[in-house]
Amino acid sequence: GNSVTQMEGPVTLSEEAFLTINCTYTATGYPSLFWYVQYPGEGLQLLLKATKADDKGSNKGFEATYRKETTSFHLEKGSVQVSDSAVYFCALRRGNQFYFGTGTSLTVIP
Amino acid sequence: KAGVTQTPRYLIKTRGQQVTLSCSPISGHRSVSWYQQTPGQGLQFLFEYFSETQRNKGNFPGRFSGRQFSNSRSEMNVSTLELGDSALYLCASSPDPNQETQYFGPGTRLLVL
């Protein structure tokens, strides 16, 4: 079946630290991969996406590369800010349906 | 362009009651999906509607149902509420089911006592 596994949180970092949130997936065929972000009290917003192997999605300083050989789509940012505090969801889309990970809570402290 | 709106934002119900949640998609979007978000399970897909027809359904009991109207607005209904139905219910819209990007509303937080 199709599923997404992402690292458990919560993650707490100091401002300007390097961020990695791991995400691996199981899917038939070649899914599209996404990272969504959810700020407190809000719905999910698309952060970035990649639609085929070796694609790199990027937005707002965040990056993730679609690695077919390791079935991974890890989220990275070189220098986090307090405003990046949120819950991050990795997701895949296969057959017109989305499958989400359980979310990773990130808190960035000044 | 206004985003996805969901009403009400918060609800408190008791076990055995039923509840109806509403979602208005972005203007021009005809596909609406519903998700249940809980701390332990993350987001779980409930169902998807397009042109008033249910296209996909997740693995939820029959107590969960939905519909879509001709103006693309959607409602979901949960009957005979259980404590475990307490969750944030999210609606997402897209122009059509083939579009990969979904736009989420802020959700309706349901608490079942």
Side-chain angles (χ1 to χ4, degrees):
Chain A
N2 300 304
S3 66
V4 174
T5 302
Q6 59 181 106
M7 67 184 280
E8 301 223 356
V11 174
T12 302
L13 294 173
S14 297
E15 207 165 21
E16 298 183 4
F18 184 85
L19 168 71
T20 299
I21 300 178
N22 290 338
C23 170
T24 57
Y25 67 89
T26 300
T28 54
Y30 302 98
S32 294
L33 302 174
F34 304 79
W35 277 101
Y36 279 84
V37 58
Q38 184 178 34
Y39 298 103
E42 300 182 13
L44 277 68
Q45 301 175 24
L46 178 65
L47 182 58
L48 53 84
K49 69 177 184 180
T51 57
K52 60 183 189 297
D54 300 324
D55 266 2
K56 177 186 282 189
S58 61
N59 186 25
K60 299 181 182 179
F62 291 88
E63 292 183 340
T65 301
Y66 190 143
R67 301 282 188 205
K68 180 168 167 289
E69 63 277 11
T70 54
T71 61
S72 65
F73 193 55
H74 304 322
L75 182 69
E76 296 182 335
K77 187 174 186 183
S79 176
V80 293
Q81 305 301 311
V82 172
S83 57
D84 294 327
S85 298
V87 181
Y88 293 81
F89 291 88
C90 184
L92 71 85
R93 184 174 185 268
R94 185 82 184 116
N96 283 353
Q97 187 164 326
F98 280 84
Y99 301 84
F100 286 83
T102 53
T104 301
S105 174
L106 169 67
T107 300
V108 180
I109 53 178
Chain B
K1 202 182 241 190
V4 177
T5 57
Q6 293 186 243
T7 56
R9 292 293 309 276
Y10 304 93
L11 264 180
I12 299 175
K13 293 284 187 178
T14 56
R15 277 182 301 174
Q17 287 187 309
Q18 73 155 16
V19 67
T20 299
L21 313 182
S22 180
C23 170
S24 292
I26 291 172
S27 178
H29 287 195
R30 296 164 60 201
S31 177
V32 173
S33 297
W34 288 89
Y35 297 86
Q36 181 194 65
Q37 183 181 3
T38 57
Q41 301 290 322
L43 271 80
Q44 293 187 285
F45 172 74
L46 281 156
F47 23 66
E48 178 197 10
Y49 286 88
F50 176 68
S51 293
E52 302 178 66
T53 301
Q54 186 180 92
R55 286 172 44 90
N56 284 305
K57 190 177 192 309
N59 189 25
F60 278 81
R63 300 184 296 107
F64 291 80
S65 63
R67 58 179 176 168
Q68 185 180 35
F69 301 94
S70 58
N71 62 358
S72 296
R73 189 176 71 85
S74 178
E75 289 181 347
M76 65 164 282
N77 184 277
V78 188
S79 62
T80 319
L81 284 166
E82 301 177 359
L83 296 180
D85 297 333
S86 296
L88 180 67
Y89 290 87
L90 292 167
C91 167
S93 77
S94 61
D96 62 70
N98 295 319
Q99 296 293 320
E100 292 208 313
T101 301
Q102 292 188 318
Y103 298 84
F104 283 81
T108 294
R109 185 163 297 280
L110 171 65
L111 176 61
V112 182
L113 302 175

